Amino acid sequence: MRDHEIDADLPWQYRIGLIVLKTDETIEQDFRLFAADASIALYHSRIESAPNVTPETLRQMEERIPGSAALLPQDTPLSVVGYGCTSASTLLGEERVAELVRTAHPKSAVTNPLSGLKAAAAALGVKRLGLVSPYIRSVTEALETEMAESDCPFVEAVVFGEEEERAVARISLNSIIEAALSVAANASVDAVFASCTNLRAASVIQEVERRTGKPFLCSNQVLAWHMLRLAGIDRTVPALGHLGSLGLVPAGARSHERNHVA
């Protein structure tokens, strides 16, 4: 055997974990861009998920989250773990998702796209959202109800009505742009949110913001931004659009007066 050295630790300052749906073909591509930094180690785990998206199939993931979280590295604590499903996080509840993830990573911060959306809305100081959703109405309604109860309601929505995840990943960029423009045309909409980690909305952030003059948010973007900020990474990320220059707003702060975007 050859003599060799063992480093005391790995070189990455930040370690973040991401739980990805089996059917998701988009989120990892987006995170390669959002977390492209030599100081960041990004680890992925997959979770079994149904090819069709309904409230019933989304709830089935509850019992699978602990096992998927446990497949992420545990020898060194992760700064943050993200669960990559907007709709399931809404149906199961943010606290329940965090509880399940922490069975394997008790010292890690935990987030999801819904929590990321709420934090992003606070950072931007927006109070009324527009929604672009690829899913059927029964899936979308839970998210709409949750945001209304959080005092940041959707006041305009475009719903594509897809139930099959494979089709969601293949919704054209032009269709996403046109839907976002339609929603943003409502003068009462402060920002537009495109839901679903499998929707390729992150690819059109800059174009939609340029054409509407309003912040454009999407599931993978708000999740990545929230994970970076929770991990203590405060650098500007241009790929995240307007949101990429903002930090987290402390609990209880009046974000509308601090970071509002007209």
Side-chain angles (χ1 to χ4, degrees):
M1 291 185 291
R2 183 183 179 90
D3 290 340
H4 58 281
E5 297 178 352
I6 300 294
D7 289 337
D9 200 356
L10 293 169
W12 304 291
Q13 182 180 359
Y14 306 101
R15 296 175 174 89
I16 62 178
L18 181 64
I19 298 174
V20 180
L21 272 58
K22 175 184 177 180
T23 51
D24 199 315
E25 300 179 70
T26 305
I27 191 170
E28 288 155 318
Q29 322 312 323
D30 292 342
F31 265 69
R32 288 190 182 100
L33 177 63
F34 297 148
D37 189 301
S39 68
I40 301 172
L42 174 61
Y43 302 99
H44 300 167
S45 174
R46 289 268 171 170
I47 184 170
E48 185 72 30
S49 58
N52 293 332
V53 181
T54 67
E56 292 71 31
T57 60
L58 290 167
R59 289 191 179 95
Q60 290 171 1
M61 281 187 279
E62 181 173 12
E63 63 183 23
R64 301 168 184 158
I65 293 175
S68 294
L71 293 176
L72 293 166
Q74 293 175 279
D75 290 342
T76 302
L78 300 176
S79 303
V80 59
V81 177
Y83 171 57
C85 186
T86 316
S87 298
S89 297
T90 305
L91 289 167
L92 299 178
E94 298 160 271
E95 290 302 320
R96 179 57 175 161
V97 168
E99 176 187 359
L100 294 168
V101 171
R102 288 196 179 107
T103 59
H105 300 276
K107 297 181 180 180
S108 301
V110 180
T111 187
N112 60 81
L114 174 60
S115 297
L117 172 59
K118 292 178 179 179
L124 290 163
V126 299
K127 296 297 184 183
R128 297 169 300 278
L129 295 169
L131 173 65
V132 175
S133 172
Y135 292 131
I136 57 177
R137 176 56 71 178
S138 61
V139 172
T140 303
E141 284 173 349
L143 178 61
E144 292 178 297
T145 298
E146 174 64 28
M147 292 307 294
E149 293 176 352
S150 300
D151 296 323
C152 191
F154 295 110
V155 296
E156 185 78 21
V158 169
V159 177
F160 292 134
E162 289 289 348
E163 186 173 325
E164 184 184 0
E165 279 285 14
R166 186 181 185 280
V168 170
R170 288 159 178 78
I171 292 174
S172 73
L173 300 186
N174 186 63
S175 294
I176 299 169
I177 292 169
E178 291 303 317
L181 295 179
S182 174
V183 169
N186 184 328
S188 65
V189 168
D190 297 325
V192 178
F193 175 65
S195 183
C196 180
T197 61
N198 208 11
L199 189 70
R200 292 179 293 149
S203 298
V204 302
I205 292 172
Q206 281 77 16
E207 180 170 355
V208 173
E209 291 193 337
R210 176 181 61 82
R211 294 176 65 175
T212 65
K214 298 179 179 182
F216 180 68
L217 306 173
C218 62
S219 291
N220 292 343
Q221 169 211 30
V222 297
L223 177 59
W225 171 81
H226 201 213
M227 289 176 67
L228 295 178
R229 297 303 185 247
L230 288 174
I233 302 168
D234 58 5
R235 65 177 177 83
T236 295
V237 184
L240 293 172
H242 191 90
L243 181 64
S245 64
L246 302 180
L248 294 174
V249 172
R254 298 184 64 183
S255 60
H256 186 75
E257 295 180 359
R258 297 183 55 181
N259 291 320
H260 180 66
V261 178

